[in-house]
Amino acid sequence: MSTLTRRDPLDDFFRGFFVRPVDFAGSPAEAPQMRVDVKETPEGYQVHAELPGVKKEDIHIHIDGPVVSISAERKQDKEVKEGERILRTERYFGQVSRSFQLGQDVDEAAANARFSDGVLELTLPKKVAPKAKRLIIE
């Protein structure tokens, strides 16, 4: 079920009218969520996570059986030159994280991660289940 958001056209008009940041009651600044796509193949899982503005060094991936956790941090670069002043800032700086459980354990040794153009791509092969062994009674 989707959630509905109530919008007030007058509120939207005044929000764009002012140059200085104005705190409107009832609209807390929320940290953006990490957008993730997960696909399953017979061999494993493909994960695509959008992380715009994040450096490769600031991304951490943890695999524990079928549970995959991704965390990242976007750091703020303070580049205010003399004579300048910031009128409005809408970009988020800080940490985001996401954890999800897959249907089968992941083979951590064969897992692969690639980061390019703000998109993290994970290739997570499924762990091969050990075959049952039949014991012979002597």
Side-chain angles (χ1 to χ4, degrees):
M1 180 179 274
S2 64
T3 59
L4 297 176
T5 304
R6 178 178 260 176
R7 293 227 171 245
D8 181 11
L10 196 57
D11 185 36
D12 291 341
F13 171 76
F14 284 117
R15 188 179 304 273
F17 183 77
F18 297 104
V19 175
R20 292 190 181 127
V22 178
D23 185 25
F24 288 88
S27 62
E30 294 183 19
Q33 290 186 347
M34 183 186 312
R35 306 288 185 207
V36 177
D37 295 334
V38 181
K39 297 177 189 173
E40 183 177 10
T41 64
E43 298 82 30
Y45 302 95
Q46 295 288 323
V47 178
H48 292 254
E50 292 180 358
L51 297 166
V54 177
K55 295 180 182 175
K56 181 170 65 171
E57 302 81 37
D58 296 329
I59 300 172
H60 304 285
I61 304 160
H62 181 73
I63 300 171
D64 185 13
V67 179
V68 178
S69 299
I70 304 169
S71 63
E73 182 177 8
R74 180 191 278 179
K75 297 179 181 174
Q76 183 175 11
D77 298 327
K78 295 185 179 186
E79 294 183 23
V80 179
K81 297 176 184 172
E82 189 175 327
E84 285 184 340
R85 64 184 181 131
I86 297 174
L87 298 178
R88 185 176 185 108
T89 244
E90 295 181 350
R91 294 180 294 153
Y92 174 78
F93 299 97
Q95 291 188 340
V96 292
S97 63
R98 193 77 189 267
S99 293
F100 46 91
Q101 184 167 355
L102 302 171
Q104 192 172 338
D105 285 358
V106 173
D107 185 2
E108 301 93 3
N112 187 12
R114 202 176 88 191
F115 185 67
S116 175
D117 297 329
V119 178
L120 175 68
E121 297 178 15
L122 301 177
T123 303
L124 307 171
K126 294 177 181 177
K127 190 175 269 188
V128 178
K131 295 183 180 179
K133 181 178 177 183
R134 183 173 183 181
L135 292 175
I136 299 175
I137 301 173
E138 297 178 15

